[in-house]
Amino acid sequence: MTHSIASPLAAAVADHPGFLSPTGVEIAFVLVGLATLGAAVITVTTRQLVHAALWLVVALGGLAVEYLLLTAEFIAWVQVLIYVGSIVVLLLFGLMLTRAPIGRSPDADSGNRWVALGVALAAAAALVWIVVDAFRTTWIDLEGPAQGSTAVTGAFLFRNWVLPFEALSVLLLAALVGAIVLSRKHDTDAAVRSAPDTAARRDQGRSKGEGPGKEGQS
Amino acid sequence: MHLAYPAVLAALLFCTGLYGVLARRNAILVLMSVELMLNAVNLNLVAFDVWLRDTLHSGQALTLFTIAIAAAEIGIGLAIVLAVYRNRGSSDIDRLRDTAETDEADAEIDAADAADAASVSADAQPHRRAEPAGKSTNAGTTTNAEATS
């Protein structure tokens, strides 16, 4: 498949310079990519939980810039709106509601950290090797009209992808209802909620001791 | 632009997220790492869509769908994490070992089944034997059962 796709691009490939004389877009892409990757690495390694969420903002914003450099404007702004605007705020609220410690927490990483590092490095080596080997002679042609402008996106989204789009709205509605049902407080929780800390919370819940059918959910 | 740049960046971001998912202890940090992995896939989709000049723009449409599904996933995931935190007082993944399968737990399950096969709490109890007197088993599973019913 790669061969059949690459063959009409052979003419475009022939007059591209290669790695040693990068264009301005490539330089910008690599610099923003390095910043994005650094922010992502700090996100998964920092011991301060709130800082992890803030570095995630940097990583996701850097990815939005990468989308802009790839001429996908609409996706870049959707990325900024949804990821940076709502998902990170949701994560910060989650950190606050679970009383994440402010400052360094010594147990942010679990015990299998070195195994995880080995798995991640092995996966990175294999993926980078395969990807570089496979796409060594392919270039993206960024000339011409932007392929991801709002007009183009609206056209293909509402001309070819209407049914998945509508199905996705149903999925979002289901997720909304599910999140409300999951996080709703109950009558038994109303008495528990006034307890000052979780130990008292546990004791009250145990003293009530009701609830058949706990088996299937545990 | 050379196609290897976005592809390599996506691969490295994915592996960064993979490390985070495997190494982090807090459930919310695991969710952040999952977001990184999803974003790496999105970058791949956009790059290959621009490379192939697809007339249907499948890559960009799938990227938009992935972003929406990621939003739904993070909402449901945080609701679950908050419910777990409310019941257990902790959102650390490696402390939620109620359903962990260990050899000694299996042995005790067999003993408990022989004693009382019909009892509902009989095989929930051996899992908690590391903790004193099964604390919070009732509180946790009771409200959990009600919250999800």
Side-chain angles (χ1 to χ4, degrees):
Chain A
M1 175 166 178
T2 306
H3 179 72
S4 63
I5 291 165
S7 54
L9 293 176
V13 167
D15 55 1
H16 270 287
F19 280 113
L20 292 180
S21 58
T23 62
V25 176
E26 282 178 332
I27 294 173
F29 191 94
V30 169
L31 289 180
V32 176
L34 284 177
T36 303
L37 190 62
V41 168
I42 296 175
T43 300
V44 298
T45 54
T46 180
R47 296 193 179 279
Q48 311 197 24
L49 304 186
V50 180
H51 286 195
L54 297 179
W55 280 107
L56 188 65
V57 172
V58 178
L60 298 178
L63 270 171
V65 177
E66 306 282 46
Y67 293 153
L68 274 182
L69 290 175
L70 286 169
T71 69
E73 299 167 24
F74 184 74
I75 290 178
W77 300 124
V78 166
Q79 169 97 0
V80 170
L81 277 179
I82 293 185
Y83 269 112
V84 182
S86 72
I87 286 184
V88 172
V89 172
L90 213 58
L91 285 170
L92 281 173
F93 269 109
L95 281 176
M96 279 189 272
L97 287 177
T98 57
R99 295 180 199 164
I102 305 295
R104 291 177 172 275
S105 59
D107 57 346
D109 292 329
S110 66
N112 50 11
R113 181 179 176 207
W114 297 107
V115 180
L117 190 62
V119 168
L121 284 181
L127 278 177
V128 168
W129 179 39
I130 289 174
V131 158
V132 168
D133 192 45
F135 302 113
R136 202 173 39 218
T137 57
T138 48
W139 275 266
I140 301 174
D141 190 11
L142 292 177
E143 302 300 320
Q147 298 189 50
S149 63
T150 311
V152 176
T153 304
F156 74 73
L157 200 59
F158 291 104
R159 191 170 292 155
N160 305 110
W161 297 92
V162 171
L163 190 60
F165 187 80
E166 297 298 330
L168 196 68
S169 64
V170 177
L171 176 95
L172 277 179
L173 180 66
L176 180 70
V177 174
I180 291 174
V181 168
L182 275 177
S183 59
R184 194 175 44 153
K185 287 187 184 298
H186 297 272
D187 296 338
T188 55
D189 282 344
V192 173
R193 189 170 32 186
S194 60
D197 57 358
T198 56
R201 192 176 300 178
R202 284 174 183 160
D203 288 337
Q204 285 196 4
R206 188 172 54 191
S207 67
K208 286 182 183 295
E210 75 275 77
K214 66 186 78 167
E215 168 67 19
Q217 307 290 338
S218 62
Chain B
M1 185 191 297
H2 204 290
L3 183 58
Y5 292 138
V8 167
L9 177 63
L12 290 177
L13 274 179
F14 185 87
C15 293
T16 309
L18 181 66
Y19 168 77
V21 167
L22 292 178
R24 286 301 205 178
R25 177 170 278 164
N26 193 315
I28 295 178
L29 291 180
V30 171
L31 283 177
M32 284 186 207
S33 306
V34 170
E35 294 303 313
L36 275 180
M37 294 168 81
L38 286 170
N39 269 285
V41 175
N42 284 347
L43 180 62
N44 249 340
L45 283 171
V46 170
F48 281 86
D49 181 87
V50 174
W51 173 49
L52 294 174
R53 294 195 167 271
D54 189 7
T55 52
L56 283 180
H57 284 289
S58 315
Q60 296 193 17
L62 282 176
T63 304
L64 289 174
F65 295 160
T66 309
I67 290 175
I69 289 174
E73 172 250 335
I74 204 80
I76 294 288
L78 277 179
I80 292 173
V81 170
L82 287 183
V84 167
Y85 179 80
R86 210 159 52 204
N87 289 330
R88 308 294 167 91
S90 167
S91 59
D92 291 348
I93 288 178
D94 53 357
R95 272 183 218 155
L96 303 172
R97 300 183 61 83
D98 286 351
T99 56
E101 291 186 1
T102 57
D103 292 337
E104 51 198 26
D106 286 341
E108 292 203 5
I109 284 174
D110 292 339
D113 284 345
D116 187 6
S119 175
V120 173
S121 62
D123 65 344
Q125 202 67 23
H127 299 293
R128 310 285 297 185
R129 62 186 287 277
E131 298 184 19
K135 65 169 186 179
S136 86
T137 301
N138 285 335
T141 52
T142 299
T143 50
N144 199 5
E146 288 172 356
T148 54
S149 63

